[in-house]
Amino acid sequence: MKSRPSFADLIAFNVAVIAQGQRLARHYFEHGDAFRTQVGPHLRHIIEHYEALLNRRAGELVDYDHRARDRSVEQSPIVAARRLDGIVDGLQALRGHQADEAVSVGFSIGVDGAEFHLSPSSLARELNFVASHAIHHYAIIRPLALAAGVELPTEFGKAPETVRHEKLQWAT
């Protein structure tokens, strides 16, 4: 294990996380009805969070709350797969950026969402966030997909530390 992964490692991690969603979406090409009800809403949510980060212009605010909520993504595994492909391209395009690149993040706060808060962040921090957020939604998808007979890798929907911990438990 590297003591300090590089920015390229962080990009590769995010590409691997998105690749899990790509494989899942492609599985549902033949099962569109199940996609719409079980998987699509979660993949749309993941996609729109990544796009909020990747599709902003330089210096523009990242706003995870005010998303398009494009229902075509949750209705069609083909549309979702194409958008996930675009995310991989966007992640690859980050190779010329710096991990500590300043990013401003805006989000609604308060129980009723009536306040808007700005927070300073970095590109690396936000890449960690969107990857963790995606894995969280994969964890919600996992039992739905398994119940529908979809075979998933053992690490799907598990935090990297959980996967590492489980491997160590079995090694002893």
Side-chain angles (χ1 to χ4, degrees):
M1 175 169 58
K2 292 181 182 179
S3 62
R4 188 172 170 101
S6 70
F7 189 55
D9 293 332
L10 181 56
I11 292 170
F13 168 56
N14 274 270
V15 169
V17 168
I18 292 301
Q20 290 182 331
Q22 289 172 306
R23 285 190 297 277
L24 184 65
R26 285 183 174 89
H27 168 81
Y28 280 94
F29 281 6
E30 303 297 321
H31 311 286
D33 290 340
F35 180 84
R36 284 187 276 283
T37 60
Q38 299 172 355
V39 173
H42 292 286
L43 280 184
R44 177 198 51 80
H45 189 74
I46 292 165
I47 288 165
E48 290 180 349
H49 272 70
Y50 267 98
E51 288 175 344
L53 176 62
L54 297 172
N55 294 348
R56 67 182 170 58
R57 291 191 231 359
E60 191 174 76
L61 177 75
V62 178
D63 185 348
Y64 297 117
D65 291 337
H66 297 98
R67 303 179 310 278
R69 292 174 169 81
D70 182 355
R71 295 199 34 102
S72 70
V73 176
E74 65 185 62
Q75 299 296 314
S76 169
I78 294 169
V79 172
R82 285 187 192 133
R83 297 276 284 274
L84 290 163
D85 292 344
I87 289 169
V88 169
D89 293 342
L91 289 165
Q92 301 290 2
L94 292 177
R95 293 200 186 277
H97 293 253
Q98 299 297 314
D100 61 353
E101 180 179 314
V103 175
S104 291
V105 181
F107 50 94
S108 299
I109 63 170
V111 176
D112 61 358
E115 309 270 342
F116 194 75
H117 179 76
L118 291 177
S119 179
S121 189
S122 70
L123 186 54
R125 162 57 184 98
E126 294 310 308
L127 285 170
N128 278 309
F129 165 71
V130 290
S132 177
H133 177 257
I135 292 166
H136 165 78
H137 278 274
Y138 290 165
I140 297 168
I141 292 169
R142 184 178 184 79
L144 301 170
L146 290 173
V150 178
E151 290 187 36
L152 297 170
T154 57
E155 68 275 3
F156 185 89
K158 293 182 181 179
E161 180 56 25
T162 300
V163 174
R164 188 186 77 77
H165 175 77
E166 288 176 349
K167 285 181 182 176
L168 291 174
Q169 293 301 310
W170 289 108
T172 58

